Amino acid sequence: MSRRKVVLAYSGGLDTSVAVKWLTIERGYDVVALSVDVGQGEDLQAARDRALASGAVAAEVVDAREEFANDFVVPAIKMNALYEGKYPLVSALSRPLISKHLVEAAYRYKADAVAHGCTGKGNDQVRFEVSIRALNPSLEVEAPVREWGFTRDDTIEYANKHGVTVSATKKSPYSIDQNVFGRAIECGEMEDPWASPPSDVYEMTAVSEMEPQEIVVSFDRGVPVRLDGISMSVFEIVGRLNKVVGAYGFGRIDMVENRRVGIKSREVYESPAGLALIMAHSELEDITLERELAHEKARLSSKWAEAVYDGLWYSPLKEALDTFCEYSQRFVTGDVRLGLEPNRAYVLGRRAERALYDFELATYDSRDAFAHKDSEGFVRIFGLGIETWAKRQLGRS
C-alpha cells in the first residue's frame, strides 16, 4: 500500500526541515518539498538539497518572481494598498501565490494534503489555509509547527535525534520574511513597543547616498512600466527602486498592527520601492481620477488592503474590488517625478496626457476661464439645507 503524500511549503530553515521529518515519522506521509522564489534573495537550490537530505521524496523550486510582481504586487500598487494606512502588504502578498503553487503541486503529485510551517499566533496560517481551501477545498492542511509545540531547543533536539542536519544552534533574535517587495522584521527587543529598532535590523534602507537626485516613474493604466524613460518589467522596476530609493534610507515602517488573530504586534518593515511606487501612483491618480471616483477608491483601498492582510485574496469581495480597481485605472497613464534625499522621497511633479487638471480652470491669471458668476447660485443651493436647519431648529435668523 502506497503512503499518502503531502506538499510542504519549504523555506529551507530549521522548522521546515524538521517538519519534513516530523510529517514523515509522525504522520506517515511521503513529503514533497516546494520552495517558491518570490525574490527573497536566498539560494533555493541549496534549500532543495537540504529538503532531500531531510527526507523529502521530492523537492522543487518554482521561480515565481515575475508572476509575483505582475499578478500580486501590481494589484497592490493599483489599489494604493496600505494596511492600517502604513503597511504595503509585503508578506501578505506572497502567501496566496505560494498557496497557489502548493495546490498545483498537490495536483501534479496526487497528494492528499499540503502543509505550511506557520505558528499558531501569526497571520500567515490564516492566509495559507484560507487560500488553499478556496483553491481546493478537498485538500487536507497540515500545520506541524503549530501542532508540535516545540521550543527552539526541542526542535534542534528532534533534528539531531532523527538525523536532520541543521546549521544553526542559536536562535537569531529576529524573525525575518523577505521578498522583492520588502522585508518584515519582528521579535527580539522590538517586542517592546517603546524600544527603538536596532540599526542592524535594516538591510534595504541603510543610508549610502547623500546627494539629492530625481527619478521619473512612468505608468500605463496604473502599471509601472518605465524608470527615467527606460522600459523595464515590474520585477526589474521594483528591484531597481529598492536599491535607488533604499540608498537614501526611505522605506521604513515601524508600527503596532492589529493581527487577524486578535493580538497587537510590533512590526518593522522595509519597502522602499513599495512606498515610493504607491506614493507616485497615488499622485498620478490625483490628476486622472474624477473626484467621486477618487474618493470612493480611497475608501475601498483600505478595505482591499484589509482583505488581503486577512488572507482573503481568493474571495468574492476581493474579486469585486479588483473589478472596481481595473475600471478606475483606464486613464492612469503618465509620469511622476520623485525627489530623493537622505531619509526622504517626495513628489516633485506629475503629468498625464489625459489629465483632468485644466490650467485655464485652475489659474488665477488673465487666462482664467472659470465662470465665477455661476458660483453664487451654486453655493446658495449647496448650503440651503444647512441654512434651513439653522433657522428652523436652532432658531437663528
Side-chain angles (χ1 to χ4, degrees):
M1 182 177 177
S2 61
R3 289 161 60 94
R4 299 198 308 160
K5 286 191 178 72
V6 61
V7 180
L8 170 67
Y10 184 75
S11 68
L14 173 64
D15 283 343
T16 52
S17 293
V18 170
V20 172
K21 188 64 70 174
W22 190 90
L23 287 165
T24 302
I25 295 172
E26 312 297 337
R27 287 289 182 265
Y29 283 111
D30 283 341
V31 179
V32 176
L34 183 74
S35 301
V36 181
D37 189 352
V38 288
Q40 57 266 54
E42 298 175 356
D43 185 350
L44 293 183
Q45 291 300 326
R48 177 183 178 277
D49 294 339
R50 284 196 297 276
L52 294 171
S54 298
V57 298
E60 287 189 11
V61 175
V62 177
D63 185 351
R65 292 174 295 177
E66 296 286 351
E67 181 185 9
F68 178 59
N70 295 331
D71 298 346
F72 293 81
V73 169
V74 164
I77 295 169
K78 287 181 177 180
M79 206 61 179
N80 304 321
L82 297 170
Y83 178 65
E84 297 186 332
K86 300 176 183 178
Y87 169 45
L89 300 169
V90 171
S91 298
L93 291 173
S94 71
R95 292 351 186 195
L97 172 60
I98 295 170
S99 298
K100 170 178 173 282
H101 284 284
L102 283 174
V103 171
E104 290 175 353
Y107 177 79
R108 292 197 306 275
Y109 284 93
K110 297 180 172 57
D112 304 285
V114 294
H116 60 74
C118 305
T119 67
K121 65 193 296 185
N123 296 306
D124 284 339
Q125 60 180 333
V126 182
R127 296 164 182 159
F128 277 121
E129 295 184 30
V130 173
S131 295
I132 289 161
R133 288 178 174 131
L135 295 169
N136 187 344
S138 67
L139 281 172
E140 297 177 37
V141 180
E142 297 279 358
V145 176
R146 186 173 65 200
E147 185 172 343
W148 67 38
F150 291 168
T151 65
R152 176 80 168 182
D153 289 342
D154 292 336
T155 308
I156 293 172
E157 182 180 347
Y158 190 95
N160 292 334
K161 179 180 177 181
H162 295 285
V164 177
T165 302
V166 293
S167 58
T169 58
K170 183 178 179 181
K171 180 177 172 57
S172 166
Y174 312 121
S175 173
I176 297 173
D177 181 68
Q178 183 166 336
N179 59 50
V180 71
F181 209 46
R183 296 174 77 237
I185 313 124
E186 62 181 10
C187 301
E189 54 263 62
M190 292 182 297
E191 290 183 342
D192 176 1
W194 180 253
S196 299
S199 60
D200 64 354
V201 304
Y202 298 112
E203 289 187 3
M204 302 177 77
T205 56
V207 179
S208 60
E209 291 287 344
M210 300 301 293
E211 289 297 319
Q213 70 165 299
E214 297 179 9
I215 189 167
V216 176
V217 185
S218 301
F219 294 85
D220 181 10
R221 297 172 67 94
V223 180
V225 291
R226 290 184 299 279
L227 289 181
D228 290 333
I230 301 173
S231 296
M232 302 180 187
S233 71
V234 176
F235 179 77
E236 291 171 332
I237 288 173
V238 172
R240 176 63 178 158
L241 284 178
N242 277 333
K243 293 178 180 178
V244 174
V245 179
Y248 287 89
F250 177 80
R252 297 179 181 182
I253 305 106
D254 179 356
M255 65 185 290
V256 176
E257 70 186 42
N258 292 287
R259 288 188 179 179
R260 177 66 278 176
V261 295
I263 64 175
K264 289 185 181 289
S265 176
R266 201 278 186 81
E267 306 284 342
V268 172
Y269 300 103
E270 293 182 284
S271 184
L275 292 185
L277 285 169
I278 288 172
M279 178 199 305
H281 178 264
S282 178
E283 289 283 338
L284 185 58
E285 286 188 329
D286 285 348
I287 62 170
T288 55
L289 294 191
E290 181 273 334
R291 178 181 185 268
E292 300 304 320
L293 176 59
H295 288 182
E296 189 64 13
K297 184 170 182 291
R299 186 180 72 85
L300 293 178
S301 174
S302 63
K303 190 62 182 177
W304 191 96
E306 181 180 305
V308 173
Y309 181 91
D310 286 351
L312 300 178
W313 184 274
Y314 304 107
S315 70
L317 170 61
K318 192 260 184 186
E319 185 173 342
L321 293 174
D322 284 342
T323 301
F324 170 89
C325 184
E326 283 304 306
Y327 178 88
S328 76
Q329 300 301 290
R330 292 181 304 156
F331 303 112
V332 185
T333 297
D335 309 310
V336 178
R337 188 160 51 98
L338 296 178
L340 303 174
E341 57 188 50
N343 301 309
R344 188 179 177 214
Y346 52 98
V347 172
L348 289 169
R350 70 290 285 158
R351 65 187 178 190
E353 184 177 347
R354 304 189 74 173
L356 297 178
Y357 181 90
D358 188 320
F359 175 82
E360 291 185 352
L361 291 177
T363 186
Y364 285 90
D365 70 14
S366 59
R367 289 166 288 181
D368 185 359
F370 187 83
H372 291 263
K373 65 180 183 299
D374 293 343
S375 293
E376 181 179 357
F378 164 75
V379 174
R380 184 79 182 205
I381 292 173
F382 178 78
L384 184 59
I386 299 298
E387 180 183 347
T388 304
W389 163 75
K391 288 179 177 178
R392 297 296 181 87
Q393 293 187 348
L394 299 186
R396 294 171 180 165
S397 59

